[in-house]
Amino acid sequence: MKNYYFITDAHLGCRAFQHHRTQERRLVRFLDTIKEKAEAVFMLGDMFDFWFEYADVVPRGFTRFLGKVSELTDMGVEVHFFQGNHDMWCTDYLQKECGVIVHREAWTTEICGKVFYMAHGYGLDPKEQDWKTQFMYSCFESRTLRRLAAMIHPHWFVNFGLNWAKHSREKHMDTEGEPTYQGEDKEGLVLFAKEYLQSHPDINFFMFGHRHIDLDIFLQRDCRLMILGEWYSKFTYAVFDGENMFMDNYIEGETEL
């Protein structure tokens, strides 16, 4: 039996990180390592720091990553791409050119007899229900604003998006530092999962990104929640072999995948 892999939050192209091309190559080497062992790969959002598709134009860069993803899908490996709050502006490029399956909402599915609830995680945290955050997300999701943005020359709008994302990350790091686990009674995605579990008791795994922390806890005896860290410093991934699930950090030349 082949494995199912889960990764999230690579933020490829982020201008706040040094050596971002090295980061992309590391991700590509990880995908190359697992390609013969993978039944499916689930990318749980924010794989790009900013992504906006025009009708005939896609953002510059990421050729190594997109090429490797295309190689996996050509081999018959399912690649599922969940839109995050940094890369929600997809149309059909990734499906048609790279063969991925794009998920714009949370998705529940069964794998080897286990029920998985998967989502990037943005908008689920009760702390993100304030009007400012909800207004920002509604702007991101607005088709009207997207059409207007598409009228701006790619050079200007893509640069604006990348610089905005860089400024947002640097501001966040200056004021809050690296994200830390808030505890089971305060961590937003844990609170969401516990509430959701009350009406959906068949869930065995909640799989999230977004928070940039690596967390693996049991909510009940048969229900486990995992927040999968990120892929710019921790290089965290999870793998399910049909019976067992574990989370690890990818270390080239040392990690058993």
Side-chain angles (χ1 to χ4, degrees):
M1 176 179 289
K2 292 190 174 183
N3 297 332
Y4 299 82
Y5 293 88
F6 305 81
I7 60 176
T8 188
D9 289 88
H11 290 272
L12 294 175
C14 180
R15 292 178 174 176
F17 303 149
Q18 292 184 345
H19 313 299
H20 53 82
R21 186 158 293 175
T22 300
Q23 172 203 8
E24 180 187 11
R25 287 176 175 144
R26 187 171 189 166
L27 176 57
V28 167
R29 285 192 288 270
F30 169 81
L31 294 174
D32 193 58
T33 302
I34 69 173
K35 66 183 181 183
E36 301 290 346
K37 307 172 187 178
E39 182 70 27
V41 179
F42 300 92
M43 301 180 177
L44 298 180
D46 284 1
M47 296 304 292
F48 304 101
D49 202 46
F50 180 76
W51 179 269
F52 188 92
E53 289 177 30
Y54 291 78
D56 300 298
V57 178
V58 295
R60 178 181 179 178
F62 322 121
T63 53
R64 296 167 182 82
F65 172 68
L66 294 174
K68 184 56 62 178
V69 168
S70 300
E71 180 185 349
L72 264 65
T73 60
D74 286 348
M75 293 173 60
V77 179
E78 284 190 5
V79 177
H80 295 258
F81 183 95
F82 287 73
Q83 291 183 342
N85 48 302
H86 281 253
D87 49 19
M88 65 172 59
W89 301 280
C90 299
T91 52
D92 59 2
Y93 177 82
L94 294 175
Q95 296 102 309
K96 290 184 176 180
E97 298 298 326
C98 303
V100 309
I101 301 167
V102 174
H103 299 275
R104 293 176 170 81
E105 305 287 345
W107 187 49
T108 302
T109 190
E110 184 174 318
I111 302 174
C112 300
K114 299 294 184 180
V115 180
F116 285 73
Y117 178 98
M118 289 181 266
H120 177 59
Y122 81 90
L124 301 182
D125 187 335
K127 298 173 186 175
E128 295 181 346
Q129 301 303 317
D130 63 281
W131 73 268
K132 291 183 180 179
T133 304
Q134 289 301 304
F135 176 74
M136 180 178 67
Y137 287 154
S138 67
C139 290
F140 287 166
E141 295 169 353
S142 169
R143 292 184 179 182
T144 300
L145 291 180
R146 179 170 177 158
R147 291 192 192 99
L148 292 173
M151 297 171 65
I152 303 173
H153 192 281
H155 173 75
W156 299 108
F157 190 66
V158 172
N159 267 291
F160 166 79
L162 287 168
N163 286 328
W164 171 80
K166 175 186 177 182
H167 173 74
S168 176
R169 178 164 303 282
E170 290 176 338
K171 181 179 179 181
H172 175 84
M173 293 301 299
D174 288 342
T175 56
E176 300 181 28
E178 288 290 344
T180 57
Y181 178 45
Q182 302 298 307
E184 193 168 332
D185 59 338
K186 293 182 179 180
E187 188 63 49
L189 292 176
V190 175
L191 297 176
F192 166 82
K194 285 183 174 180
E195 182 177 352
Y196 190 84
L197 194 60
Q198 293 178 10
S199 56
H200 300 79
D202 58 331
I203 303 293
N204 300 115
F205 291 97
F206 287 93
M207 309 296 292
F208 296 119
H210 189 50
R211 282 281 287 120
H212 296 193
I213 61 173
D214 43 309
L215 179 67
D216 181 3
I217 63 172
F218 281 88
L219 302 181
Q220 295 179 359
R221 186 172 64 87
D222 295 323
C223 182
R224 195 166 162 187
L225 178 146
M226 304 182 84
I227 301 178
L228 298 175
E230 36 80 358
W231 257 82
Y232 54 83
S233 64
K234 298 176 181 178
F235 309 103
T236 319
Y237 71 97
V239 58
F240 180 60
D241 65 6
E243 295 184 6
N244 304 300
M245 171 78 83
F246 70 88
M247 185 159 59
D248 203 352
N249 302 89
Y250 175 59
I251 302 173
E252 294 182 275
E254 299 181 17
T255 303
E256 291 291 337
L257 301 173

